[in-house]
C-alpha cells in the first residue's frame, strides 16, 4: 500500500510504472492530506487506474463525540477490518491514540482489545492512515497540523508488530510527510524486553511507556500473561538501559484494579522497584470491562495511591479518564461496533 512508502520509495514505485517522477509528489500529497484517490484532482483517470490497487483504501466509517469533547473514530481498511482511534483535546494541543494491530494476542485480562485474540498486524501505512484521516477530519493538512501528539496506546501491542511500528514512527515524523516530532510520540508496551532493547538501538526521540500494573510478578501474572515471559525486574532493568541510551524519561502506566494491586504495600514495593529510574507514573482507575470481572477503584482512592507514591519520592499523577461515555478504554468501542455489525447481519 502506498502510505507504507517514504517519499523516495514512492518515487521508485512511480518510475517502475513508467510514469514521470513528479507524479510521486502529487500522489504523496494526496496521501499526506488523507484524501481518497477520487479526491485527487491533478491525476488523470489512466494514472488513477494504474495505482488504484495500491492506493490506501482506509476511511472513517463512524465517529462518536463524548461529553468531554473526546472523539472516537472507527476506521475501516481495504479488507473490511476495523480499528478505533481516539482524539483527546488538551490545552496544549490534540493527542491521537492509534491502534497498531487488529485485536491483540497479549491476553491482558482487563483489556477489551484482546478478547478475540489477534486478527492481524496493521502495516506502517495503516497506522499512519489513522493520523492522516483524523488530521483531515479536523481541517488540518501537512503544513497546518491539527494533531500535535501521538500515543501508540490503542488496540494492539506495538512491539509485537515491531517493524511496522518503527516504520510508522519514521513515516509520521518525516519532514516530507506530516512531520510530527518524535518527542511528541509515545509508544506503550506491556513489556517485551527483547524488543525494548531493539527499540533503544533505533535511537528515536520517542517516549517509552510501560504498562506495569503490578509490583509483584505473581500478581502481574494473574492479569498479564506476558509476565510469564519477562519479570518486572527485567522490564525495569531494560527501562534503565533505555534511559541511559536515549536520555528519555520513562512513563509507567499503573492501572488500579480493586483487590489486585491497590494496597499501600503495592505502592511501597513500586517505589522500591523504580528507585533511581527517571520516570513518571500515570495511575489510572481500571475502566471495568463488562466481559471480565475485574473492578476499578474510586478516583479518590487513585489520588490516595498517588499521594503515597509521592510521599515515597516518586513523580505520579492520576490520569484523566476521558471519553468514558463512549466506551473510552482500549478496544471497548470496537467490540461494540463489531457486535452491532453481527447483529445487523443476523437481523437482531
Ligand atoms: N499493548 C500496549 C498498548 C495498548 S493498551 C500496552 O500494553 O501498553 C494501552 C493502555 O491501556 C495500557 O496501559 C493498558 O494496560 C491500558 N488499558 C487497557 N484496558 C484498560 C482498562 N479496561 N482500563 C484501564 N486501562 C486499560
Amino acid at each position: 500500500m502506498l502510505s507504507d512508502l517514504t517519499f523516495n520509495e514512492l518515487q521508485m514505485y512511480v518510475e517502475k510504472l513508467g510514469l514521470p517522477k513528479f507524479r510521486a509528489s502529487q500522489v504523496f500529497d494526496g496521501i499526506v492530506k488523507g484524501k481518497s484517490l477520487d479526491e485527487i484532482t491533478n491525476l488523470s483517470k489512466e494514472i488513477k487506474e494504474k495505482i488504484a490497487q495500491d492506493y490506501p483504501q482506509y476511511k472513517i466509517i463512524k465517529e462518536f463525540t463524548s461529553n468531554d469533547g473526546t472523539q472516537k473514530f472507527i476506521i475501516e481498511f481495504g479488507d473490511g477490518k476495523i480499528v478505533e482511534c481516539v482524539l483527546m483535546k488538551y490545552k496544549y494541543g490534540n493527542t491521537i491514540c492509534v491502534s497498531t494491530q487488529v485485536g491483540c494476542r497479549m491476553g491482558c485480562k482487563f483489556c477489551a482489545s484482546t478478547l478475540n485474540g489477534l486478527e492481524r498486524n496493521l502495516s506502517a501505512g495503516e497506522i499512519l492512515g489513522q493520523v492522516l484521516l483524523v488530521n483531515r477530519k479536523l481541517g488540518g493538512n501537512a503544513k497546518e497540523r491539527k494533531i500535535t501528539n501521538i500515543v501508540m496506546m490503542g488496540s494492539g501491542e506495538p512491539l509485537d508488530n515491531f517493524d511496522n511500528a518503527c516504520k510508522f514512527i519514521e513515516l509520521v515524523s518525516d519532514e516530507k510527510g506530516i512531520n510530527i516530532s518524535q518527542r511528541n510520540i509515545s509508544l506503550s508496551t506491556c513489556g517485551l524486553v527483547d524488543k525494548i532493547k531493539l527499540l533503544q538501538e533505533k535511537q528515536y526521540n520517542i517516549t517509552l511507556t510501560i504498562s506495569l500494573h503490578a509490583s509483584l510478578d505473581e500478581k502481574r501474572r494473574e492479569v498479564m500473561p506476558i509476565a510469564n515471559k519477562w519479570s518486572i525486574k527485567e522490564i525495569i532493568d531494560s527501562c534503565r538501559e533505555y534511559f541511559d541510551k536515549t536520555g528519555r524519561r520513562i512513563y509507567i502506566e499503573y492501572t488500579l484494579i480493586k483487590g489486585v494491586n491497590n494496597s499501600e504495600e503495592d505502592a511501597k514495593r513500586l517505589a522500591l522497584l523504580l528507585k533511581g529510574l527517571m520516570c513518571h507514573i500515570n495511575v489510572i482507575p481500571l475502566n471495568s470491562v463488562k466481559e471480565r470481572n475485574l473492578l476499578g477503584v474510586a478516583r479518590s482512592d487513585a489520588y490516595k495511591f498517588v499521594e503515597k507514591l509521592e510521599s515515597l519520592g516518586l513523580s505520579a499523577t492520576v490520569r484523566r479518564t476521558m471519553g468514558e461515555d463512549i466506551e473510552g478504554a482500549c478496544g471497548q468501542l470496537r467490540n461494540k461496533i463489531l457486535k452491532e455489525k453481527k447483529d445487523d447481519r443476523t437481523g437482531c
Side-chain angles (χ1 to χ4, degrees):
M1 194 183 48
L2 299 184
S3 60
D4 290 322
L5 307 183
T6 62
F7 181 69
N8 287 346
E9 289 166 343
L10 190 67
Q11 276 189 331
M12 288 192 267
Y13 166 88
V14 160
E15 280 183 323
K16 254 195 198 151
L17 289 182
L19 298 169
K21 239 181 173 178
F22 76 91
R23 293 290 180 200
S25 305
Q26 296 170 323
V27 178
F28 196 74
D29 184 69
I31 292 171
V32 174
K33 285 185 175 149
K35 288 184 176 177
S36 69
L37 193 51
D38 285 345
E39 290 168 317
I40 302 181
T41 49
N42 53 4
L43 291 175
S44 67
K45 207 172 150 233
E46 289 72 37
I47 295 178
K48 284 186 182 178
E49 273 167 13
K50 274 194 178 169
I51 65 171
Q53 65 182 38
D54 298 320
Y55 195 86
Q57 302 284 315
Y58 44 61
K59 53 180 187 276
I60 296 174
I61 57 164
K62 272 195 174 141
E63 63 178 279
F64 302 83
T65 304
S66 159
N67 296 331
D68 62 22
T70 302
Q71 282 175 291
K72 217 162 198 198
F73 300 91
I74 300 287
I75 289 172
E76 187 179 68
F77 299 104
D79 64 354
K81 297 282 182 207
I82 61 168
V83 296
E84 56 190 44
C85 59
V86 185
L87 181 78
M88 293 159 285
K89 295 179 180 156
Y90 296 99
K91 276 192 213 103
Y92 56 80
N94 293 324
T95 297
I96 187 173
C97 173
V98 293
S99 293
T100 53
Q101 296 179 312
V102 184
C104 182
R105 64 184 180 127
M106 294 297 120
C108 301
K109 289 255 165 57
F110 45 81
C111 181
S113 301
T114 203
L115 288 171
N116 300 313
L118 175 68
E119 291 183 38
R120 72 167 174 85
N121 282 331
L122 291 184
S123 73
E126 287 175 327
I127 309 172
L128 178 67
Q130 299 167 55
V131 180
L132 301 177
L133 289 175
V134 173
N135 184 51
R136 175 161 202 219
K137 192 86 194 174
L138 299 178
N141 55 42
K143 290 206 183 72
E144 278 177 48
R145 287 182 302 269
K146 295 288 180 187
I147 291 173
T148 50
N149 298 67
I150 300 173
V151 291
M152 299 167 76
M153 252 191 209
S155 295
E157 167 49 50
L159 296 187
D160 188 37
N161 185 13
F162 188 81
D163 292 342
N164 292 335
C166 288
K167 181 138 194 206
F168 160 71
I169 292 167
E170 289 164 25
L171 289 173
V172 83
S173 59
D174 189 334
E175 281 176 10
K176 285 208 166 71
I178 189 166
N179 191 12
I180 293 178
S181 164
Q182 289 186 1
R183 293 183 176 278
N184 295 348
I185 303 175
S186 293
L187 181 149
S188 180
T189 175
C190 60
L192 308 186
V193 172
D194 51 344
K195 299 292 167 47
I196 293 175
K197 288 183 200 275
L198 288 179
L199 185 69
Q200 145 199 320
E201 277 158 28
K202 298 270 185 189
Q203 292 280 314
Y204 297 140
N205 274 318
I206 62 167
T207 300
L208 176 67
T209 301
I210 304 288
S211 297
L212 197 62
H213 307 326
S215 63
L216 280 176
D217 284 315
E218 62 254 39
K219 287 279 179 195
R220 195 165 195 260
R221 284 194 287 265
E222 275 177 31
V223 285
M224 300 178 78
I226 194 67
N228 293 303
K229 187 152 184 207
W230 304 107
S231 67
I232 294 178
K233 182 173 182 312
E234 286 170 313
I235 296 175
I236 307 289
D237 285 349
S238 75
C239 288
R240 290 187 204 279
E241 227 180 89
Y242 190 93
F243 177 78
D244 289 344
K245 283 263 165 65
T246 64
R248 305 283 302 159
R249 178 154 82 143
I250 307 290
Y251 277 70
I252 304 285
E253 302 279 296
Y254 195 94
T255 295
L256 287 174
I257 312 172
K258 204 173 188 168
V260 176
N261 63 3
N262 61 333
S263 69
E264 219 179 292
E265 286 308 307
D266 282 301
K268 284 186 194 156
R269 273 192 299 264
L270 198 57
L272 271 181
L273 281 168
L274 299 176
K275 207 171 165 199
L277 175 69
M278 267 294 281
C279 69
H280 178 83
I281 307 161
N282 273 323
V283 172
I284 317 146
L286 179 83
N287 202 333
S288 331
V289 178
K290 283 185 208 94
E291 293 81 350
R292 310 278 197 212
N293 50 1
L294 295 170
L295 298 174
V297 302
R299 266 192 99 68
S300 53
D301 289 336
Y303 284 114
K304 276 190 207 137
F305 196 83
V306 161
E307 272 167 28
K308 185 73 205 166
L309 292 177
E310 283 178 331
S311 74
L312 296 165
L314 295 175
S315 154
T317 37
V318 179
R319 218 197 20 221
R320 263 167 77 192
T321 42
M322 296 174 92
E324 262 180 319
D325 52 329
I326 52 167
E327 313 277 336
C330 206
Q332 290 184 346
L333 182 63
R334 174 175 181 270
N335 287 346
K336 199 169 151 199
I337 303 286
L338 281 175
K339 190 169 174 301
E340 280 169 12
K341 270 192 159 184
K342 216 163 137 199
D343 289 348
D344 280 350
R345 264 182 266 135
T346 51
C348 304

